[in-house]
Amino acid sequence: MTATDPAAPLAGQSALVLGAGVAGLAAATALCRHGAQVSLLEQAGQITEVGAGLQISPNGARVLQVLGIDPETAGDRSDAVELRDSAGRLVTRLALPQAGPGFYLCHRADLIEVLATAARAAGTQVQLLQQVQDIALSRQGARITTAVGAVHEAPLVLGADGLRSPLRTRLNGKSEPFFTGQVAWRALIPGDGGPRVAQVFMGPGRHLVSYPLRGGALRNIVAVQERRSWAAEGWNHPDDPAALKAAFAGFSGPVPGWLDRVEEVFLWGLFRHPVAEHWHDGAGRAALLGDAAHPTLPFMAQGANLALEDAWCLARSLARRPQNPAGALESYARARAPRTAKVVAAATANARNYHLRGPLAQAAHGILRAANRLAPSLALRRYDWIYEHDVTA
């Protein structure tokens, strides 16, 4: 169904979406496909993304498919995940399914591009240079004022505008994140034609993740280190490649060669943000999704996947109760809050698992190696509750 189909469940209804990231673009597309008229406000001058990699797992791939997007237009299907120690020795290899919705290695900019194309094709009206300055909620709906004085009104506003979402603050007040004692570097280097495998190299108090992008033309690197010195939050703080090399000087295998090729690197501090207590306003005028509702650390690679799940669930809930938006948003929040909180907790725990030291690391790696020989699919099945979850069913 499209926004022009009078039989669509949300025909004649309108919504404002704040933010042209994964959550906002997917939500706009889903709402349009249920018949709504959607305007999307983005503060940037163009819909684009910084260079970085991300992973789409089956739970997110299913949403892309139902939105009419082939996941392979956004990235390359991944064959496996390998956990290795800091010397480069294999600890365990998780072969990934090649039938049905799978796992994909994506350049973030490529995913944003296919989502933006789908949103516009579905009928979304995208408005750029719209930095939100004020949000007023009334019985009539939402009134958004931007930094240049433009005013936008709609019965419903959706905050998909990330960590610093003004709508999150409007619904929950200000929250203070805390520094986890971990920092992360990210870098892209020329590709080396390696296999379509995500590799995790684990060392004491640090780990490094790498995988190929764009058919092997690029290689994505994310490296995390525990340390006391604070680093600013955000994706775009340049750092010296020598600092990254020094932090991982004890690593072997392909890691030294990769780091020798890093010419530009960005550093950011990892902060824990609470899952929002209030996902909607109670009157059917406003709701949150994506990072605005549940920021997560990157250690389960679920940020984009949860955003896709949110987008479909929110649109479907509204479509099921077109005359009761308050009930629809309450149903959406009840369905999403427990799951997202559980995934956020799993991501936090994974960081500890990657950073074990001394005898504890040796014992854990020995157990993983033995389990891989005896039941090679067991480690992946442990996370079936994440990957096999199907919000489109």
Side-chain angles (χ1 to χ4, degrees), residues 67-98:
L67 292 177
I69 298 171
D70 181 350
E72 294 199 17
T73 62
D76 302 315
R77 192 152 189 153
S78 179
D79 293 329
V81 176
E82 292 180 351
L83 301 183
R84 294 179 175 271
D85 62 20
S86 59
R89 295 175 299 228
L90 182 66
V91 174
T92 189
R93 188 178 196 273
L94 311 178
L96 300 177
Q98 298 302 301

Side-chain angles (χ1 to χ4, degrees), residues 275 294 296 300 306 336-349 382-386:
V275 174
H294 47 74
T296 181
M300 286 299 301
L306 291 180
R336 297 302 298 155
R339 172 168 169 78
T340 55
K342 187 176 179 181
V343 174
V344 167
T348 301
R382 176 185 175 193
Y383 293 111
D384 276 356
W385 64 274
I386 294 180

Side-chain angles (χ1 to χ4, degrees), residues 142-165:
R143 179 184 175 92
I144 308 297
T145 305
T146 71
V148 295
V151 175
H152 304 269
E153 296 180 323
L156 174 66
V157 61
L158 303 178
D161 42 354
L163 290 174
R164 298 175 180 84
S165 166

Side-chain angles (χ1 to χ4, degrees), residues 100-145:
F103 294 77
Y104 299 85
L105 307 172
C106 305
H107 194 297
R108 186 180 293 269
D110 296 341
L111 177 61
I112 292 296
E113 182 179 358
V114 298
L115 284 170
T117 299
R120 287 191 169 107
T124 302
Q125 299 298 309
V126 177
Q127 300 184 53
L128 305 175
L129 296 172
Q130 301 294 313
Q131 183 176 1
V132 175
Q133 185 164 310
D134 182 68
I135 299 174
L137 301 177
S138 67
R139 291 181 179 178
Q140 288 72 40
R143 179 184 175 92
I144 308 297
T145 305

Side-chain angles (χ1 to χ4, degrees), residues 29 62 68 111 143 187 198 209 227 239 259 263 282 324 353 363 383:
T29 304
R62 293 184 182 96
L111 177 61
R143 179 184 175 92
V209 181
R227 73 182 198 191
D239 197 35
L259 298 186
E263 296 182 356
N324 182 15
N353 297 335
Y383 293 111

Side-chain angles (χ1 to χ4, degrees), residues 288-313:
L288 303 172
L289 66 159
D291 282 349
H294 47 74
T296 181
L297 294 172
F299 307 127
M300 286 299 301
Q302 283 299 300
N305 294 287
L306 291 180
L308 290 168
E309 288 184 10
D310 287 350
W312 182 256
C313 285

